[in-house]
Amino acid sequence: MSAGAHFLDPLTPLATILNVRETDEPGEEMGARPRPLHRALERPPEAWLKKALDARSAAEKEEFALLGLRALDRAEEDDEELRALLLKQSYDALMAMGQTRDALERAEEIIDLGPLGDVARHDAARAAAALGEIEVAADHLRIAAKVAPEERRAFHFGTLGALLRFAGLAEDAREAFKKAERWADADRAIYRAQRALAEGDAGVGPAETWAQLREELEQSPSQKGYALWVLGELCARQGDPAASRSYMSAFLKRLERASPLKCLSLKSEIERAREIVARAG
């Protein structure tokens, strides 16, 4: 763990976050004396996982996850799936606190365990991309797409395409989006549009017109937040700056209540959206 890791104080804050006013035995009055700290530390790892999931801050989430891992270390039998879930909570907390290198190491630990499969690979890719390690991130996403259930393969290939496109690797991005388009179901229009955008970046005119791609995506039932961003890109290529700004503004509006982790994952898209909105303004 890096020297800058932000952990809670091992004693006093723990007594606070452990909710030591809980009663020692079922049926005791809520006003009973607080349980001793060492009794609170005897929670089973499953209880720490629940507390990590319900944590009010990234620092609390990390502390609860670590306490859960310690509890699991003391258990008579190891549970790889539970260990992976606790490590996943630690990863989420570290990413939220900006401790990206440590988060990547957590994701690699989860990969070594095995139970979370493509999810762990995707998390490792997110951390590696945030560190600027594009090839490392791309390798993780390729493996994620390979080991994922069929219904998640398009998502991983699409993420890979976006990563490569923002890295300036338009030809590679084009191939990734082609694979995403092939595996997609409801989101096929999004990946087709992104494939066309990558082709435009590569100087290869897409078979479809920008107007056709825009119309298809506007009529698609897959009107998620990311579709708004893709539509903003299509409108910019079509030469409709007002519509491009409108879609990008709607995309940014939807992200106002998003988690820091999601915003980090969409950092490049957010920057592009803000650039279009500012230019059009």
Side-chain angles (χ1 to χ4, degrees):
M1 199 65 64
S2 69
H6 179 197
F7 298 119
L8 299 181
D9 182 87
L11 294 177
T12 307
L14 265 182
T16 301
I17 66 172
L18 289 174
N19 189 19
V20 294
R21 287 191 58 83
E22 291 183 8
T23 58
D24 285 336
E25 299 296 339
E28 289 188 17
E29 296 294 331
M30 287 300 293
R33 295 177 61 187
R35 66 164 63 180
L37 183 58
H38 74 275
R39 291 290 301 278
L41 287 170
E42 292 175 359
R43 296 175 189 264
E46 295 86 354
W48 289 118
L49 175 60
K50 184 178 185 305
K51 289 184 75 68
L53 288 165
D54 296 338
R56 295 166 295 178
S57 69
E60 279 193 1
K61 183 183 289 289
E62 167 70 344
E63 188 70 21
F64 292 144
L66 293 179
L67 287 168
L69 290 166
R70 291 173 198 163
L72 190 55
D73 288 339
R74 293 192 299 268
E76 293 183 3
E77 295 184 7
D78 196 12
D79 183 330
E80 288 189 349
E81 183 174 355
L82 179 55
R83 185 175 295 276
L85 292 172
L86 286 163
L87 287 169
K88 166 66 173 166
Q89 290 302 301
S90 175
Y91 165 88
D92 288 348
L94 291 168
M95 286 293 289
M97 292 189 291
Q99 296 171 28
T100 315
R101 178 62 62 184
D102 294 335
L104 178 56
E105 292 175 2
R106 279 284 186 262
E108 289 169 345
E109 287 183 67
I110 301 170
I111 289 169
D112 290 340
L113 286 172
L116 297 190
D118 63 303
V119 175
R121 289 286 179 179
H122 191 89
D123 283 345
R126 178 174 9 194
L131 291 167
E133 299 177 6
I134 303 303
E135 279 305 314
V136 174
D139 285 344
H140 280 301
L141 288 170
R142 290 186 183 101
I143 296 172
K146 183 178 180 179
V147 303
E150 289 187 2
E151 64 270 18
R152 289 208 294 270
R153 288 179 184 172
F155 170 70
H156 294 307
F157 279 125
T159 304
L160 174 62
L163 172 75
L164 295 171
R165 185 177 172 228
F166 280 114
L169 302 170
E171 284 288 356
D172 293 335
R174 176 191 184 192
E175 291 304 313
F177 285 130
K178 279 184 178 180
K179 292 176 181 177
E181 190 178 350
R182 188 181 312 138
W183 283 104
D185 185 11
D187 291 335
R188 184 167 288 123
I190 293 178
Y191 298 125
R192 182 176 293 119
Q194 289 179 282
R195 184 259 303 156
L197 288 166
E199 288 175 342
D201 293 343
V204 181
E208 309 88 347
T209 66
W210 300 120
Q212 288 172 334
L213 292 162
R214 173 182 174 180
E215 182 180 2
E216 180 186 23
L217 189 51
E218 285 178 333
Q219 294 178 356
S220 169
S222 180
Q223 284 296 324
K224 301 176 184 176
Y226 202 81
L228 296 172
W229 185 86
V230 177
L231 280 164
E233 284 276 88
L234 289 175
C235 291
R237 293 294 179 95
Q238 191 184 4
D240 188 345
S244 179
R245 181 175 65 171
S246 177
Y247 278 122
M248 290 302 192
S249 295
F251 169 74
L252 293 172
K253 183 71 174 177
R254 285 177 68 106
L255 287 176
E256 288 179 357
R257 296 183 180 181
S259 69
L261 192 57
K262 183 171 184 178
C263 290
L264 177 62
S265 299
L266 296 171
K267 180 181 177 182
S268 296
E269 286 87 347
I270 291 171
E271 290 176 354
R272 172 68 173 155
R274 287 173 175 166
E275 176 188 328
I276 286 178
V277 170
R279 186 192 309 156

